[in-house]
């Protein structure tokens, strides 16, 4: 059975919720596919997230799908590149590659998500904050410890409740829709790696 680590972030800054965690919780309520899903919620702190991710990856996963919210985004963004770069321009890790690029068929998965009527695209820049760091470190730890784990990051829009609370006109996507997109993504990736 394929083993998948699904991670999301806790609330941060002005957000009392995080759409990534809301999506994972929604998915665990109804998902019954032929995959073992393990969910984790990470703190919005680089050192603590890095330590927990390193420990979690020791669980021997086939896939690690890391999720985060992207205020202002109107679609699910499958991130292909993790940079060894922080917001201040310094490296996340010294003596590590400048970047890792996913070998997973993200374009095929994004198309399958779109075919289900859910906006999705492949993105080639996950930013320079914790989302990027999670993707970079997941790749790096897997390579450094010769793990079979293949990693990717998914940015998702805010949830409607977040937008309503802000009284803004930002794009949003419901947790049932983002969780459906994650299920399609998992199914697509499992089919491509088996």
């Amino acid at each position: 059975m394929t083993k998948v680590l699904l991670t999301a972030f806790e609330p941060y800054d002005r957000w009392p919720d995080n759409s990534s965690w809301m999506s994972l919780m929604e998915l665990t309520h109804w998902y019954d596919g032929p995959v073992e899903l393990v969910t984790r919620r990470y703190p919005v702190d680089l050192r603590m997230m890095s330590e927990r991710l390193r420990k979690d990856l020791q669980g021997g996963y086939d896939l690690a799908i890391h999720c985060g919210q992207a205020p202002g985004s109107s679609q699910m963004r499958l991130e292909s590149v993790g940079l060894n770069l922080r917001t201040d321009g310094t490296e996340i890790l010294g003596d590590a590659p400048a970047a890792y690029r996913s070998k997973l068929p993200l374009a095929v998965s994004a198309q399958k998500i779109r075919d289900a009527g859910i906006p999705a695209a492949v993105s080639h820049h996950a930013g320079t904050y914790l989302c990027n760091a999670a993707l970079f470190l997941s790749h790096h730890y897997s390579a450094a410890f010769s793990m079979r784990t293949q990693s990717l990051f998914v940015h998702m829009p805010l949830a409607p409740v977040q937008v309503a609370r802000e009284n803004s006109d930002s794009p949003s996507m419901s947790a049932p829709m983002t969780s459906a997109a994650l299920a399609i993504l998992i199914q697509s990736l499992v089919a491509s790696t088996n």
Side-chain angles (χ1 to χ4, degrees):
M1 178 178 280
T2 303
K3 193 172 179 184
V4 178
L5 173 66
L6 271 173
T7 73
F9 286 106
E10 65 186 14
Y12 65 96
D13 289 342
R14 70 181 195 267
W15 308 104
D17 303 299
N18 191 307
S19 63
S20 64
W21 183 247
M22 294 164 74
S23 181
L24 265 59
M25 289 300 88
E26 176 73 23
L27 181 66
T28 60
H29 287 307
W30 59 264
Y31 184 81
D32 64 352
V35 171
E36 180 185 348
L37 296 181
V38 175
T39 59
R40 296 286 186 263
R41 185 169 88 161
Y42 289 152
V44 180
D45 176 277
L46 178 59
R47 182 188 57 78
M48 292 172 64
M49 181 275 294
S50 176
E51 288 173 1
R52 291 192 41 199
L53 174 60
R54 185 176 179 154
K55 181 180 177 186
D56 285 339
L57 286 172
Q58 302 295 319
Y61 297 94
D62 299 288
L63 292 168
I65 302 175
H66 307 290
C67 303
Q69 71 179 23
S73 179
S74 60
Q75 59 189 351
M76 302 288 286
R77 294 194 333 240
L78 311 185
E79 303 293 351
S80 67
V81 179
L83 302 174
N84 187 6
L85 186 67
R86 302 178 198 227
T87 304
D88 65 4
T90 61
E91 294 178 325
I92 296 169
L93 291 176
D95 299 325
Y100 288 98
R101 183 171 183 161
S102 177
K103 295 182 176 110
L104 293 166
L106 301 183
V108 171
S109 296
Q111 183 62 56
K112 288 182 178 181
I113 295 169
R114 287 193 303 272
D115 289 345
I118 303 170
V122 176
S123 168
H124 305 292
H125 197 306
T128 55
Y129 193 47
L130 279 181
C131 297
N132 170 71
L135 178 58
F136 176 82
L137 291 169
S138 191
H139 278 293
H140 184 72
Y141 293 149
S142 294
F145 300 114
S146 301
M147 298 175 183
R148 69 178 184 270
T149 310
Q150 295 189 66
S151 304
L152 73 145
F153 196 95
V154 180
H155 268 123
M156 55 190 60
L158 295 173
V161 67
Q162 294 174 289
V163 173
R165 193 179 295 121
E166 293 269 307
N167 192 25
S168 78
D169 61 357
S170 296
S172 66
M173 191 178 289
S174 69
M177 186 173 278
T178 57
S179 67
L182 287 176
I184 294 165
L185 173 64
I186 291 165
Q187 182 178 352
S188 173
L189 294 177
V190 168
S192 73
T193 56
N194 285 339

